[in-house]
């Protein structure tokens, strides 16, 4: 087997041990004579899997019983719409912090439902930073405050989170479980699974239970959070395979020592790449240093032709997925939780050699 180093922004690298276990269990799950994907989502086997997945996640993230944990379809993009449908009631408004492409998409969906106040917009510096928290001015009696904790395209993150009177909601799709957070600071966090939690097509939602009761009766049942809470995530047939992989990944995360250990590892990986970027003017890192992501590292070179050469030669060397997002160009290394340190060593060695040959 010739495994490359996969720097894709998502769907992204998964732990090799998880992939190997899924491979072993694919056709005959635990001696049942059938695949997990063929089983009833209400059977005993899957019931044990989804309960273990939730328990693991609550343990890793420190989630209390005041919050529901839901596995919902549609990824984070569906949540962009479900949040205002459930919480942006007539006569109210919501505050949004715009730090880039994903926050912009969330704002676009919310404006269809009701009044939105964009209380900070990073467009002036091409979304290369997050706001000074002390300078934020929240709307009195806002229904909620929404932010994206880590923007994959710009490669920026909130190093800390604002303290708000209104319920704070965070799209954590690209840095969920990458660092220790206080879940109790948030009314809701959500994440598409395909970065740190498993395959695409599923979102994990952590929602304070009392918030779900706000939803008006005019919202279709499927799009109400409270519909999915009595039998958690079983109102319709969930993505059973995604839940299974999520369970395996959270098993893996616990084996690594939990989120604190993963954070330390992530910081070491990111620091190694940033050291190379900061060591020579050949590299042109994009993000404001105070807001640099430890999941998505972005940089430019002197010309687009040189960037194309870098990406092509890196791919030939087994370093794939380094092309920046089509909307901004440049180079991006996504190094999520499962990305190995060996891949960082290979990347930094390649970068140093490329700079010598092309500088």
């Amino acid at each position: 087997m010739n495994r490359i180093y996969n720097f894709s922004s998502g769907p992204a690298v998964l732990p090799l041990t998880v992939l190997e276990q899924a491979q072993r269990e694919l056709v005959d799950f635990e001696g049942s004579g059938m695949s997990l994907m063929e089983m009833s989502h209400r059977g005993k086997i899957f019931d044990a899997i989804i309960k273990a997945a939730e328990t693991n996640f609550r343990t890793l993230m420190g989630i209390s019983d005041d919050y529901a944990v839901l596995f919902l379809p549609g990824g984070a993009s569906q949540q962009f719409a479900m949040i205002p449908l459930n919480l942006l009631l007539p006569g109210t408004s919501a505050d949004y912090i715009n730090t880039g492409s994903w926050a912009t998409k969330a704002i676009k969906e919310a404006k269809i439902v009701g009044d939105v106040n964009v209380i900070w917009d990073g467009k002036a510096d091409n979304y290369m930073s997050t706001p000074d928290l002390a300078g934020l001015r929240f709307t009195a009696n806002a229904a909620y405050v929404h932010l994206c904790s880590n923007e994959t395209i710009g490669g920026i993150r909130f190093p800390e989170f604002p303290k708000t009177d209104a319920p704070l909601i965070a799209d954590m799709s690209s840095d969920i479980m990458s660092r220790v957070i206080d879940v109790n600071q948030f009314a809701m966090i959500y994440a598409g699974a395909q970065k740190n939690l498993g395959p695409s097509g599923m979102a994990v939602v952590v929602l304070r239970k009392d918030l779900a009761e706000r939803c008006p009766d005019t919202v279709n049942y499927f799009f109400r959070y409270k519909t999915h809470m009595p039998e958690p995530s079983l109102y319709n047939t969930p993505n059973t395979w995604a839940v299974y992989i999520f369970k395996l990944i959270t098993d893996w995360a616990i084996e690594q020592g939990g989120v604190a250990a993963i954070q330390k590892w992530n910081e070491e990986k990111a620091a190694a790449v940033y050291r190379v970027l900061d060591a020579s003017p050949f590299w042109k890192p994009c993000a404001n240093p105070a807001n640099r992501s430890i999941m998505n590292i972005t940089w430019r070179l002197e010309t687009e032709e040189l960037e194309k050469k870098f990406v092509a030669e890196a791919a030939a060397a087994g370093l794939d997925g380094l092309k920046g997002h089509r909307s901004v160009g440049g180079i991006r290394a996504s190094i999520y939780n499962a990305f190995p340190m060996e891949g960082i060593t290979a990347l930094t060695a390649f970068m140093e050699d490329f700079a010598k040959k092309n500088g």
Side-chain angles (χ1 to χ4, degrees):
M1 181 172 59
N2 185 26
R3 293 274 295 174
I4 62 168
Y5 292 117
N6 176 14
F7 293 91
S8 174
S9 63
V13 61
L14 299 176
L16 181 58
T17 55
V18 167
L19 294 173
E20 290 172 337
Q21 182 173 349
Q23 181 185 48
R24 290 193 301 271
E25 296 179 336
L26 175 61
V27 176
D28 183 3
F29 188 79
E30 295 184 349
S32 65
M34 58 180 166
S35 172
L36 179 72
M37 290 186 285
E38 301 172 297
M39 294 180 183
S40 169
H41 62 295
R42 297 186 181 276
K44 290 183 179 179
I45 292 178
F46 183 72
D47 180 66
I49 289 170
I50 196 169
K51 286 179 178 176
E54 179 179 339
T55 298
N56 283 353
F57 192 53
R58 287 184 181 275
T59 299
L60 286 161
M61 297 287 291
I63 302 168
S64 73
D65 289 339
D66 295 332
Y67 293 80
V69 174
L70 304 174
F71 303 107
L72 300 180
S77 293
Q78 180 170 297
Q79 295 309 306
F80 295 162
M82 282 187 71
I83 290 166
L85 285 171
N86 280 258
L87 305 177
L88 186 50
L89 305 182
T92 67
S93 64
D95 286 352
Y96 277 72
I97 299 171
N98 191 354
T99 49
S101 293
W102 298 111
T104 298
K105 290 186 177 184
I107 290 166
K108 183 179 179 180
E109 292 283 358
K111 284 183 174 180
I112 295 173
V113 177
D115 292 332
V116 170
N117 300 313
V118 179
I119 62 170
W120 187 88
D121 195 316
K123 186 176 181 179
D125 74 343
N126 294 317
Y127 301 110
M128 288 299 117
S129 62
T130 61
D132 172 15
L133 300 186
L136 291 174
R137 296 293 177 262
F138 301 104
T139 304
N141 301 314
Y144 58 86
V145 177
H146 182 281
L147 60 82
C148 179
S149 60
N150 185 92
E151 288 275 2
T152 58
I153 293 176
I156 60 170
R157 69 166 183 169
F158 278 82
E160 297 179 351
F161 299 104
K163 291 180 171 57
T164 62
D165 292 328
L168 181 60
I169 298 175
D171 172 5
M172 294 190 172
S173 293
S174 53
D175 67 343
I176 190 82
M177 272 183 12
S178 70
R179 54 173 165 162
V180 176
I181 65 163
D182 178 8
V183 172
N184 293 314
Q185 185 178 350
F186 300 88
M188 175 180 172
I189 61 176
Y190 65 98
Q194 69 271 17
K195 318 282 190 182
N196 276 329
L197 302 177
S200 59
M202 183 179 80
V204 179
V205 171
V206 179
L207 175 70
R208 209 174 65 209
K209 292 176 181 177
D210 65 288
L211 213 60
E213 297 304 319
R214 290 189 183 185
C215 185
D217 293 338
T218 53
V219 174
N220 294 78
Y221 286 104
F222 186 84
F223 296 106
R224 303 179 192 182
Y225 290 117
K226 58 186 177 183
T227 297
H228 300 274
M229 289 168 56
E231 291 184 282
S233 310
L234 295 179
Y235 177 72
N236 71 312
T237 306
N239 185 335
T240 55
W241 183 256
V243 173
Y244 161 66
I245 298 296
F246 180 96
K247 188 264 183 187
L248 296 186
I249 287 176
T250 51
D251 285 342
W252 171 85
I254 291 169
E255 290 169 2
Q256 306 314 303
V259 176
I262 290 172
Q263 175 178 337
K264 182 175 183 294
W265 188 33
N266 284 334
E267 289 171 345
E268 290 172 355
K269 291 187 295 182
V273 181
Y274 285 122
R275 276 195 297 271
V276 174
L277 291 175
D278 292 336
S280 168
F282 179 81
W283 311 104
K284 304 182 186 309
C286 297
N288 182 326
N291 304 118
R292 285 174 168 177
S293 172
I294 60 172
M295 296 281 95
N296 313 98
I297 302 174
T298 55
W299 69 93
R300 304 298 304 252
L301 293 175
E302 190 66 34
T303 66
E304 290 186 7
E305 290 72 21
L306 196 56
E307 291 171 351
K308 291 177 181 178
K309 182 179 181 183
F310 178 92
V311 170
E313 292 185 5
L319 309 171
D320 197 44
L322 286 164
K323 184 179 179 180
H325 191 270
R326 62 186 180 277
S327 64
V328 296
I331 301 167
R332 173 176 58 181
S334 295
I335 52 173
Y336 299 116
N337 290 353
F339 194 90
M341 182 60 80
E342 294 82 2
I344 300 297
T345 301
L347 173 63
T348 54
F350 175 82
M351 291 172 69
E352 289 171 345
D353 183 62
F354 187 86
K356 288 178 183 178
K357 292 178 178 177
N358 296 276

